[in-house]
Amino acid sequence: MLRDATVFEDEHLPREIVGRNSQMNEVTDALAPVEAGVRAENCFLFGPSGAGKTTVARAAVRELRREVLDVPTAYVNCWKDYTRSSVLERAANTLADAAVPKSAPTRELIDTLQEGLDAPGVIILDEVDQLQDADVLYDLHSVPGLAWICIANREVDLLARLDERVHSRISVGYRVQFDRYTVDTVTEILDRRTAQGLEAGAVERETLRRIAELVDGDARQAITALRVAARKSEREGLSAIPPRLVDDAVLDAEAEVRRKTISKLNDHQRVLYECIEEHGPLIQKALYERYQETHPDPITLRALRENHLPKLEHYNLIQTERGGEGKRYELASRAE
């Protein structure tokens, strides 16, 4: 039944972007100056998980490269490369084609970028609110000709962490907002993935719509659910996905996406999640006490509240409720 499994991977970039014409236009407008040989506008993409932010960013850069074949571009996942040095290393390696030692000082990395980038370039910073030191945006801003596309869930989680000097320099740029996909749009996305990745007749459109109705606008979870449903059907020796498998496939897809997300958590977020998993529900004070007991180098409650707990919420790993004792945190799966 699965003709091309790569179509269902997170890294797959479809030929056409569904339901995001206005966002694509805004990002391509921001990048358009590169075609004239000048620096693009910085661009910020905000919205919930699975709303197409990364897809639009990568597709816009793809369009730019069709117009300017040799434009230097880079992609950094800040959940993986979250330190100042790792971001600058990856930027220097990719944009300036420079081999830099792991221990290179920040100033050397910036100089390498400034000297090696001889044309306007673009760097995508995905999950940028995961940066340990968001001041690296100031470093990148200091590189002539280099513009970025920053991707995050909420603007406040990114810009509120910056000091005034940095904020005033880097906060100017396009702001592109992504809402959750509609059921019709998710259905269309699944229909196109089906045409590319599954054998003809493998699934009815009504079955795709049922998946779309269950995922609350999250295209990533919907695509994963379609792949899971196809695998389940294959194991049963079926040539088409029956509607009876959809609900279980969506639940399995949700669990798979959750596992992938948990595997990407930084050490502070992982300790918080594990404390809630083992001892929750917990009010904020009790959660912080558990965290302090567990983490070898704990940070302040304010830093957790502003930078890490919101990320667990955005990715539906935890849920909060307000009560007489303040916020109470529990695993999202326990709250359902």
Side-chain angles (χ1 to χ4, degrees), residues 197-213:
L198 299 183
E199 297 291 345
V203 62
E204 298 290 335
R205 189 173 176 88
E206 280 306 307
T207 302
L208 299 180
R209 186 172 183 85
R210 175 59 180 164
I211 294 174
E213 290 171 345

Side-chain angles (χ1 to χ4, degrees), residues 21-43:
N21 287 341
S22 63
Q23 288 86 352
M24 271 292 294
N25 289 338
E26 288 187 77
V27 180
T28 54
D29 284 349
L31 301 183
V34 175
E35 297 177 30
V38 297
R39 185 179 194 155
E41 299 285 344
N42 290 331
C43 201

Side-chain angles (χ1 to χ4, degrees), residues 80-120:
K80 180 180 179 181
D81 293 305
Y82 57 87
T83 66
R84 187 182 187 186
S85 59
S86 63
V87 171
L88 292 174
E89 284 171 15
R90 188 167 292 275
N93 289 334
T94 309
L95 295 169
D97 194 24
V100 292
K102 287 289 185 181
S103 57
T106 298
R107 186 66 258 172
E108 180 180 332
L109 293 169
I110 296 172
D111 289 343
T112 300
L113 266 173
Q114 291 177 336
E115 294 166 7
L117 188 66
D118 55 5

Side-chain angles (χ1 to χ4, degrees), residues 11 19 57 75-76 126 205 218 233 266 274 283 310:
E11 295 76 18
Y75 173 87
V76 179
D126 206 350
R205 189 173 176 88
D218 188 330
S233 301
N266 63 40
E274 290 172 352
I283 62 172

Side-chain angles (χ1 to χ4, degrees), residues 35-332:
E35 297 177 30
V38 297
R39 185 179 194 155
E41 299 285 344
N42 290 331
C43 201
F44 298 90
L45 278 52
F46 299 114
S49 176
K53 303 184 297 298
T54 303
T55 298
V56 165
R58 293 174 58 216
V61 169
R62 179 179 62 187
E63 292 299 313
L64 177 63
R65 292 182 67 89
R66 287 173 178 167
E67 300 296 328
V68 187
L69 296 179
D70 58 350
V71 58
T73 62
Y75 173 87
V76 179
N77 188 324
C78 300
W79 216 331
K80 180 180 179 181
D81 293 305
Y82 57 87
T83 66
R84 187 182 187 186
S85 59
S86 63
V87 171
L88 292 174
E89 284 171 15
R90 188 167 292 275
N93 289 334
T94 309
L95 295 169
D97 194 24
V100 292
K102 287 289 185 181
S103 57
T106 298
R107 186 66 258 172
E108 180 180 332
L109 293 169
I110 296 172
D111 289 343
T112 300
L113 266 173
Q114 291 177 336
E115 294 166 7
L117 188 66
D118 55 5
V122 180
I123 184 169
I124 298 173
L125 299 170
D126 206 350
E127 306 284 358
V128 69
D129 48 348
Q130 289 294 292
L131 287 173
Q132 190 178 77
D133 183 358
D135 287 3
V136 70
L137 296 178
Y138 186 84
D139 301 329
L140 296 173
H141 185 74
S142 71
V143 178
L146 182 59
W148 66 63
I149 302 174
C150 284
I151 302 172
N153 295 118
R154 299 192 309 167
E155 181 171 357
V156 66
D157 295 333
L158 171 62
L159 299 182
R161 299 163 52 198
L162 304 174
D163 66 43
E164 188 58 36
R165 175 186 63 89
V166 177
H167 188 284
S168 63
R169 288 291 186 92
I170 72 168
S171 61
V172 177
Y174 281 59
R175 280 164 171 72
V176 185
Q177 188 64 45
F178 289 69
D179 297 323
R180 292 189 180 278
Y181 285 116
T182 65
V183 170
D184 287 343
T185 301
V186 175
T187 303
E188 180 62 23
I189 290 171
L190 293 178
D191 191 49
R192 297 193 183 200
R193 298 291 174 111
T194 296
Q196 289 183 266
L198 299 183
E199 297 291 345
V203 62
E204 298 290 335
R205 189 173 176 88
E206 280 306 307
T207 302
L208 299 180
R209 186 172 183 85
R210 175 59 180 164
I211 294 174
E213 290 171 345
L214 293 173
V215 298
D216 192 26
D218 188 330
R220 181 182 294 113
Q221 185 180 335
I223 293 166
T224 302
L226 178 56
R227 173 178 54 76
V228 170
R231 290 294 192 198
K232 284 178 176 289
S233 301
E234 284 183 331
R235 286 196 293 270
E236 292 189 17
L238 304 174
S239 60
I241 299 172
R244 64 179 172 80
L245 293 182
V246 167
D247 286 41
D248 284 345
V250 170
L251 289 175
D252 289 350
E254 181 182 4
E256 180 178 326
V257 171
R258 181 181 286 112
R259 285 194 300 271
K260 288 182 179 179
T261 303
I262 292 170
S263 72
K264 296 188 295 183
L265 296 178
N266 63 40
D267 56 342
H268 298 287
Q269 293 162 353
R270 183 172 289 106
V271 168
L272 287 170
Y273 181 84
E274 290 172 352
C275 287
I276 296 170
E277 181 180 40
E278 183 176 356
H279 305 288
L282 292 170
I283 62 172
Q284 193 171 91
K285 180 181 178 182
L287 173 57
Y288 186 62
E289 290 173 352
R290 294 284 187 182
Y291 160 81
Q292 284 182 303
E293 294 169 0
T294 307
H295 198 283
D297 187 22
I299 58 177
T300 66
L301 174 58
R302 178 179 178 181
L304 289 179
R305 190 170 56 233
E306 293 180 356
N307 301 330
H308 298 295
L309 284 167
K311 201 68 180 178
L312 298 179
E313 291 184 70
H314 293 325
Y315 280 92
N316 300 316
L317 295 178
I318 66 171
Q319 177 170 303
T320 63
E321 292 183 359
R322 286 193 175 275
E325 297 180 283
K327 275 191 172 183
R328 186 181 71 161
Y329 298 88
E330 59 186 336
L331 295 189

